[in-house]
Amino acid sequence: MRSDLEIARDIQLRPIGEIASAYGIPDDALEPYGRYMAKVDHRLGTKAEGPARGKYVMVTAITPTPAGEGKTVHTVGLSLALNKIGKKAACAIRQPSMGPVFGIKGGAAGGGFSQVVPMEDFNLHLTGDFHAAAAANNLLSAAIDASILLDNPLEIDPFTVTWRRVVDCNDRVLRQIVTGLGGKANGVPMETGFDITSASEVMAILGMSDDLADVRRRLGRIVIGQNRKGEPVTADDLECAGAMAAILRRAIDPTIMQTTEGTLAFVHTGPFANIAHGNSSIVADRVAAHHVDYLVTEAGFGADMGAEKFFDIKCRASGMRPDAVLLVATIRALKMHSGQFAMVGGKLPPELSDENVEAVRLGCSNLEAQVKNVRKFGVPVVVAINRFPTDTAAEIALVQERALAAGARAAEISEVHGKGGAGGEAIARAIVAAAESGEADFSPLYPDDMLLADKVKRLAHELYGAETVEIAPAAAKTFATLEAQGYGHLPVCVAKTQYSLSHDASLKGAPRGFAFPVREARLAAGAGFVVVYAGTVMTMPGLGRTPAYKQVDIDENGEVIGLF
């Protein structure tokens, strides 16, 4: 079997301006990066008269295994299939972090014959947005440290500073560090740490903003800590937000690329719906939706993670209303959710390839829970069964039966990985039927004026299956402070494991009756939400014993090899 990189290299690429023109995007709105990528003016979405014409489809998944279940493959593949059946479609996906690219998962351009290409550019740097976000983030960190050292005119209380530095790689030793060692000239010693770039509030601001002016406003609202009177200190107070906006002036423009079948792909902002809001940007979706019949946008991990944040955070801010959802499932993941199998050495057990209808039956509890989770937001859902060669007819039939019984509008076999758009025509037709049925009646899960703790409790009870919620005293104190300061209306962005509906990765299927522990909360005032940390989730991943970077190299011609 050929690798994803080998398949991608065989694609005859077209100039990006030619593809953009076919979608009605003018040449003067593009800033080319070579022949096959370009930045597109983010103002196209706001300049267009009237509402966006495109139907709005979001792709999510059941609770995944560490190998991933093909969500990006289907975000790309569904856009290909929609074009195959006569709809002008594009996809909007998130730029990959080099953390997983060089860690466990590898690249995130899709796979097989449903990819974004050139995939090596997509997975490595792209047009520099991640570096811009990190530079702006870390400039603010330096400004905080300098202000505290040099007379502390804002009277910042060092013990309240929550702003952390970021870097786009997995580096566990940076999780908790002490800065300012080596004498007074090096600053005031402070305990702090690094997050991965995708978890930066700056990245979230890029994803949540309407335009560059909104980026500037949101950057100014960033709260880095408190002064000695207990009042919030902002990036505007530090007179740093303007310079941060200058760094990000190009990063607000989405990147456009092409798929393996020449469909337009919008790529913008970062992944990780377990520790961030994990969705492509509002501006990318708006620009795309004004130029297509169908926009297929991606949300991270399972429906309890990225899809919930799409509904409760992104759609609340953008005002865009989804018409349908595609929920991706695999037989292997459902078998894992039976609780009968365990990962060994970071790899899926080979027994998952054997027919095991009973394991599928038990694991379908997760599929049923995720279908119901989507339906709670009033949006019709279609299940795509990402077919592997080892899946049997009996296993597939059982998944289809259980999906329909749980409330899915359709459950179709998908082979977009191996066949591209031709392998997804059934799911495309099902999505069109769902989106054009008028069934969608979208609403968020909770109102703005609900208390922060009650918002968390509603998510834990309604989506995760928790019986109780245990809020640590530190988190409860933060909730009370934020509400007193006028931030109680913000939505919550729950950071938890992506490998279970609960906070505990070992709890498979659809666990019930557990206590959901909330240990900490942080304000992201610029992004427009409150981040809530549950269980032992970490904002800086680490590398394993056999990381993906060991396979990556360049050949004698300087071409990248080993990406997958």
Side-chain angles (χ1 to χ4, degrees):
M1 180 180 293
R2 290 188 297 164
S3 70
D4 291 344
L5 182 56
E6 289 169 334
I7 291 171
R9 288 253 171 89
D10 283 346
I11 301 299
Q12 188 67 43
L13 297 175
R14 296 163 56 195
I16 193 62
E18 179 182 310
I19 293 175
S21 178
Y23 280 80
I25 298 175
D27 190 63
D28 61 6
L30 303 181
E31 182 179 349
Y33 281 69
R35 298 187 66 200
Y36 307 119
M37 301 187 299
K39 284 280 194 178
V40 61
D41 191 333
H42 69 277
R43 292 170 295 184
L44 284 183
T46 56
K47 283 180 178 177
E49 295 181 2
R53 78 169 198 253
K55 293 290 187 181
Y56 197 28
V57 179
M58 184 264 287
V59 178
T60 185
I62 62 171
T63 304
T65 69
E69 310 317 313
K71 184 162 44 52
T72 306
V73 171
H74 280 76
T75 304
V76 176
L78 177 57
S79 71
L80 306 184
L82 286 164
N83 279 294
K84 282 278 188 185
I85 65 170
K87 305 293 184 181
K88 183 179 284 293
C91 59
I93 62 179
R94 302 153 300 151
Q95 180 180 340
S97 163
M98 288 192 292
V101 168
F102 292 136
I104 294 176
K105 191 175 180 181
F113 291 91
S114 292
Q115 295 188 58
V116 175
V117 287
M119 68 93 82
E120 56 269 53
D121 291 319
F122 178 85
N123 285 305
L124 303 174
H125 301 291
L126 199 61
T127 51
D129 291 354
F130 270 53
H131 302 302
N137 183 105
N138 295 341
L139 175 63
L140 181 55
S141 293
I144 296 165
D145 293 341
S147 185
I148 292 173
L149 175 67
L150 302 176
D151 304 326
N152 199 4
L154 298 175
E155 297 188 336
I156 298 170
D157 181 351
F159 294 102
T160 69
V161 173
T162 55
W163 193 257
R164 292 157 61 93
R165 287 170 170 82
V166 298
V167 64
D168 189 36
C169 65
N170 293 356
D171 197 345
R172 60 171 53 81
V173 303
L174 295 177
R175 289 171 183 161
Q176 294 296 133
I177 62 172
V178 177
T179 57
L181 300 180
K184 185 176 180 180
N186 293 341
V188 176
M190 294 174 59
E191 185 175 349
T192 181
F194 276 72
D195 295 331
I196 199 160
T197 301
S198 296
S200 168
E201 185 178 350
V202 174
M203 183 67 78
I205 286 171
L206 283 175
M208 297 293 291
S209 294
D210 291 325
D211 52 31
L212 185 56
D214 194 26
V215 170
R216 173 61 183 85
R217 287 190 294 269
R218 288 172 177 268
L219 290 171
R221 293 201 298 263
I222 290 173
V223 174
I224 61 91
Q226 298 177 4
N227 63 21
R228 298 193 187 281
K229 297 178 182 178
E231 300 164 334
V233 178
T234 68
D236 261 346
D237 293 331
L238 286 155
E239 300 178 85
C240 189
M244 295 169 71
I247 294 171
L248 298 169
R249 71 192 188 284
R250 297 286 182 262
I252 186 59
D253 291 331
T255 299
I256 55 171
M257 301 180 72
Q258 61 191 282
T259 70
T260 43
E261 295 182 10
T263 298
L264 194 62
F266 289 75
V267 186
H268 206 207
T269 65
F272 297 156
N274 58 338
I275 55 175
H277 79 292
N279 278 262
S280 60
S281 73
I282 287 173
V283 296
D285 283 7
R286 280 183 176 157
V287 173
H290 277 91
H291 293 86
V292 296
D293 301 323
Y294 275 80
L295 170 62
V296 183
T297 193
E298 178 184 23
F301 294 121
D304 58 308
M305 303 291 293
E308 182 273 318
K309 292 164 186 176
F310 170 85
F311 293 132
D312 279 325
I313 298 176
K314 182 178 174 181
C315 290
R316 196 187 299 259
S318 71
M320 298 177 69
R321 300 176 65 86
D323 296 290
V325 168
L326 184 72
L327 191 147
V328 181
T330 63
I331 300 294
R332 70 179 186 185
L334 293 173
K335 289 177 181 176
M336 286 293 293
H337 280 294
S338 71
Q340 297 179 353
F341 305 92
M343 298 277 289
V344 179
K347 296 182 179 180
L348 297 177
E351 303 94 299
L352 295 181
S353 298
D354 300 333
E355 183 178 67
N356 191 331
V357 176
E358 180 58 23
V360 174
R361 187 184 310 279
L362 293 171
C364 273
S365 62
N366 186 268
L367 170 65
E368 292 167 336
Q370 297 290 34
V371 169
K372 291 174 182 176
N373 281 345
V374 173
R375 294 294 296 130
K376 287 173 182 176
F377 294 92
V379 185
V381 57
V382 171
V383 171
I385 303 170
N386 185 11
R387 186 173 195 170
F388 283 64
T390 54
D391 298 342
T392 69
E395 292 171 333
I396 291 171
L398 176 59
V399 174
Q400 290 176 314
E401 176 188 335
R402 296 283 288 271
L404 295 174
R409 214 173 183 278
E412 303 288 351
I413 297 169
S414 171
E415 296 180 293
V416 295
H417 184 279
K419 298 180 180 179
E425 292 187 23
I427 59 171
R429 292 191 181 94
I431 282 291
V432 169
E436 297 183 0
S437 68
E439 182 182 332
D441 185 21
F442 166 70
S443 63
L445 195 63
Y446 52 79
D448 291 343
D449 59 2
M450 181 179 280
L451 293 174
L452 293 170
D454 290 341
K455 291 172 183 174
V456 177
K457 290 175 183 177
R458 179 161 293 184
L459 292 176
H461 294 315
E462 293 285 323
L463 300 188
Y464 310 154
E467 181 174 341
T468 59
V469 176
E470 298 175 348
I471 300 177
K477 182 179 179 181
T478 300
F479 287 156
T481 298
L482 294 179
E483 284 160 358
Q485 293 174 343
Y487 296 111
H489 66 285
L490 296 178
V492 293
C493 180
V494 176
K496 72 176 188 70
T497 181
Q498 65 271 35
Y499 298 130
S500 172
L501 283 163
S502 73
H503 64 286
D504 182 350
S506 68
L507 299 179
K508 301 301 182 184
R512 308 290 298 181
F514 58 89
F516 188 74
V518 174
R519 73 170 197 263
E520 182 185 356
R522 293 184 202 166
L523 173 64
F529 50 73
V530 175
V531 185
V532 175
Y533 298 88
T536 59
V537 66
M538 293 173 290
T539 53
M540 171 56 78
L543 291 170
R545 289 184 174 84
T546 55
Y549 70 76
K550 293 187 176 183
Q551 302 180 47
V552 179
D553 207 331
I554 55 173
D555 63 19
E556 62 276 8
N557 298 315
E559 298 288 342
V560 175
I561 57 175
L563 279 174
F564 63 94

